Amino acid sequence: MDHLDWKTFVPWAISIATVLLGIWQYSDKQAQANREPFLKKQTRLLFEASETVSTLANTTDPAVWKNARSRFWTLYWGPLSLVEDVRVENCMVKLGEIIPPTKQAEIPALPFDDLRTASYELAHIARNLMIKSWDAKLDMKVTNSFSICKDG
């Protein structure tokens, strides 16, 4: 072949590039579709953990507090462990040092103010994880400074 026939080469190159781009896009969408059930479950459990701890920190109703405490320990020992990262785990451990176990009959004075800062920090740590997990491009400040739920 003495010279390159551009009239033949260009359409073939465009066709091959289009096919490769289609394969890449399909693969990318399939990978996201495979991650989505996990991410949805993670999001639901992180919201639930944050809401549960907030209830423990703010309710004045002993029955509501006992139910929230029971739910906290259920999340702590099971479902949340499936989806949390090390920062959420560390915060939950710190909270577990503050929240009495369910076998303890007495409850603290309500509202349980000792949990307010940790509840706030858990919410921010959970938000940071969700933003990272979903690779969300949100114009939100990522909080990295915590007093109770420190790493390590």
Side-chain angles (χ1 to χ4, degrees), residues 96-114:
E97 294 169 359
I98 301 169
I99 298 168
T102 52
K103 64 184 174 191
Q104 183 176 321
E106 64 188 62
I107 62 172
L110 301 179
F112 193 14
D113 291 334
D114 292 353

Side-chain angles (χ1 to χ4, degrees), residues 27-39:
S27 175
D28 187 53
K29 285 184 181 187
Q30 189 61 44
Q32 181 64 25
N34 291 341
R35 292 180 62 216
E36 195 167 315
F38 175 84
L39 295 174

Side-chain angles (χ1 to χ4, degrees), residues 10 19 37 49 55 67 77 94 103 114 121 141 144:
V10 171
V19 168
T55 299
N67 285 337
W77 288 114
K94 298 289 185 189
K103 64 184 174 191
D114 292 353
E121 290 181 9
K141 179 183 176 197
N144 290 312

Side-chain angles (χ1 to χ4, degrees), residues 99-151:
I99 298 168
T102 52
K103 64 184 174 191
Q104 183 176 321
E106 64 188 62
I107 62 172
L110 301 179
F112 193 14
D113 291 334
D114 292 353
L115 283 177
R116 286 203 172 138
T117 300
S119 174
Y120 184 75
E121 290 181 9
L122 175 63
H124 281 90
I125 290 169
R127 180 189 69 196
N128 293 349
L129 175 56
M130 286 184 283
I131 289 171
K132 180 182 171 191
S133 294
W134 284 95
D135 193 24
K137 307 298 185 225
L138 300 175
D139 188 22
M140 298 177 82
K141 179 183 176 197
V142 174
T143 309
N144 290 312
S145 176
F146 302 103
S147 62
I148 295 174
C149 295
K150 295 178 183 176
D151 287 338

Side-chain angles (χ1 to χ4, degrees), residues 1-6 8-9:
M1 181 178 227
D2 294 312
H3 62 84
L4 188 57
D5 183 4
W6 291 102
T8 304
F9 176 74

Side-chain angles (χ1 to χ4, degrees), residues 31-72:
Q32 181 64 25
N34 291 341
R35 292 180 62 216
E36 195 167 315
F38 175 84
L39 295 174
K40 285 181 176 179
K41 188 68 155 184
Q42 180 186 58
T43 298
R44 187 185 69 73
L45 288 167
L46 289 169
F47 269 95
E48 186 175 356
S50 178
E51 184 176 5
T52 299
V53 174
S54 179
T55 299
L56 288 168
N58 293 294
T59 190
T60 56
D61 182 330
V64 170
W65 195 89
K66 284 183 178 182
N67 285 337
R69 176 177 61 178
S70 178
R71 188 61 190 150
F72 170 83

